[in-house]
Amino acid sequence: MTMKPLVGLGVSLLLSVLCPALASNPQESDAKEVYAGLPVEVHLLIADLKLDELVQGADSGREAAKARTLRESKALLKEALRKYEYFRTGDKKILSEGWGFSWAPPRPDFPSVGKSPLSLLEHLWIGYDMAAQLRSSIMIAPVQYSPDQAELHKSLDDSVGLMEKTIQAVESTGVWIVHWLSGARLMISAPPEFKPTTLMKSDLVRLLKPKPDGSAQGVVFVSQAYLDREEMDGTPEQYREKIIEKLRQRFPDMSGVELGESRAATGSFTTSFSYQYTWEGDVVKALVHIRRIGNTAYEVNYVSVAESFDRKEADRIIQSFLKR
């Protein structure tokens, strides 16, 4: 597979869709925000529960190699949790053999660990990032730490490394891959056949799905745009119409426009639409979800040759977008 045709069509697809999709379920989006904000140890606990489900599925499907890798992932995750709990509590009993993590909700209304809409890898990445950020803050602090404190910090460092190994092991089993950008504080998930490629213009993430001949079957990208005062004061529908009009000017044959749900809240909004057009003789279909956070609009785009357009896949990828 050569990269030249992939990048070439990737550019053409980008030029053909600068912002388009259908809105994700508002209740699910709200729940994702709640679960994304949980403490590191709870992220690791939920990840362990979700790993159990994957192991059971691999066993049921008689996928011995996958089940073995997932069990190895569980062992890594358990050790990561043990190291993190020692750092967090300073309780040396945690270092003893046979230690088992026990956890109880700190309050009655605490989110159920069994009902998270986030995936296994999403929990692992968020937990990893939170722990890594904490480690960085400790490393740069102009403080002289005691030997006991240094021991705890070493435990945190070990935990972060084990989380990273757990993520790598899980990714190797063919699950949907989470693309996490710590600098932009966002993530999006996609099937493993979507591979990272060269970013274009305002892209934050760009993923290409190749055909067997190396050409692009589809592209997923997340871009950002900074709103001017008029756009800040306008409605989600007005912003969407402005984007659609720009696309009509670029693609005179643009057709099949379908408007999705729009909703607004203080300082934010979401809006979406889909459309299609012709590119180099092929009918191309696009699904786009736009989310405003403050003065920035994040555009999640799923673009595919129409004959291979997978709506369920498109919805799931778009709904996986999370900005923290």
Side-chain angles (χ1 to χ4, degrees):
M1 180 181 70
T2 62
M3 285 303 297
K4 186 174 181 179
L6 281 176
V7 174
L9 184 50
V11 173
S12 66
L13 288 174
L14 171 66
L15 293 176
S16 54
V17 254
L18 286 178
C19 24
L22 294 221
S24 58
N25 184 295
Q27 290 183 342
E28 181 175 312
S29 297
D30 294 342
K32 287 173 64 176
E33 296 290 343
V34 170
Y35 279 89
L38 295 177
V40 173
E41 65 274 15
V42 182
H43 281 292
L44 300 186
L45 170 62
I46 296 175
D48 186 64
L49 296 176
K50 289 182 179 289
L51 258 175
D52 282 335
E53 296 174 0
L54 286 181
V55 170
Q56 292 172 8
D59 284 338
S60 299
R62 298 183 179 180
E63 300 173 279
K66 180 177 181 179
R68 182 169 57 253
T69 300
L70 290 171
R71 286 192 171 90
E72 292 169 356
S73 302
K74 275 186 63 68
L76 290 168
L77 180 58
K78 180 179 179 180
E79 186 65 5
L81 180 54
R82 186 172 75 92
K83 294 282 189 180
Y84 185 79
E85 278 300 283
Y86 175 55
F87 160 76
R88 189 175 72 88
T89 67
D91 186 353
K92 288 190 177 290
K93 292 179 182 178
I94 294 173
L95 301 178
S96 63
E97 290 188 16
W99 172 82
F101 179 66
S102 60
W103 181 83
R107 59 181 190 273
D109 63 339
F110 198 83
S112 169
V113 296
K115 296 182 179 180
S116 172
L118 297 174
S119 71
L120 162 64
L121 276 175
E122 287 170 336
H123 279 290
L124 285 174
W125 269 113
I126 294 173
Y128 166 84
D129 183 72
M130 293 172 69
Q133 293 282 342
L134 179 56
R135 179 185 62 178
S136 296
S137 68
I138 291 172
M139 291 176 63
I140 64 175
V143 178
Q144 185 66 41
Y145 294 109
S146 69
D148 286 344
Q149 289 173 319
E151 181 180 347
L152 294 177
H153 297 164
K154 174 63 165 56
S155 189
L156 172 62
D157 191 60
D158 291 343
S159 178
V160 170
L162 287 162
M163 289 183 215
E164 188 172 16
K165 290 180 179 179
T166 304
I167 289 169
Q168 293 170 351
V170 172
E171 286 181 340
S172 72
T173 65
V175 297
W176 276 41
I177 304 300
V178 171
H179 300 273
W180 169 255
L181 280 76
S182 59
R185 312 295 296 165
L186 64 83
M187 65 167 62
I188 190 167
S189 303
E193 55 266 29
F194 281 86
K195 306 296 184 183
T197 189
T198 305
L199 301 180
M200 304 291 180
K201 292 189 177 180
S202 58
D203 284 358
L204 298 173
V205 182
R206 171 164 284 268
L207 310 170
L208 281 174
K209 179 180 182 180
K211 294 179 181 178
D213 65 2
S215 60
Q217 180 174 324
V219 61
V220 169
F221 62 95
V222 180
S223 60
Q224 66 179 1
Y226 297 104
L227 307 184
D228 59 29
R229 180 161 297 279
E230 180 181 349
E231 292 167 337
M232 294 276 286
D233 293 338
T235 66
E237 293 79 12
Q238 288 171 332
Y239 184 79
R240 178 174 59 191
E241 286 304 314
K242 184 175 182 178
I243 299 302
I244 291 174
E245 182 56 33
K246 288 182 179 179
L247 287 167
R248 285 199 178 100
Q249 293 174 11
R250 185 179 295 273
F251 307 109
D253 72 331
M254 179 181 174
S255 64
V257 176
E258 178 184 347
L259 303 181
E261 180 182 0
S262 289
R263 66 178 183 130
T266 303
S268 68
F269 66 65
T270 58
T271 188
S272 58
F273 64 98
S274 63
Y275 67 95
Q276 64 184 36
Y277 59 94
T278 302
W279 183 264
E280 296 183 349
D282 289 328
V283 177
V284 178
K285 188 168 183 178
L287 186 62
V288 184
H289 183 259
I290 304 171
R291 180 181 177 190
R292 172 194 161 187
I293 303 174
N295 69 341
T296 306
Y298 295 92
E299 302 164 2
V300 186
N301 302 259
Y302 178 99
V303 188
S304 172
V305 176
E307 62 183 13
S308 59
F309 184 90
D310 186 335
R311 176 57 185 271
K312 289 184 179 180
E313 178 179 81
D315 284 339
R316 185 177 169 189
I317 290 174
I318 288 170
Q319 290 167 9
S320 74
F321 173 75
L322 181 65
K323 178 75 173 74
R324 299 200 64 217

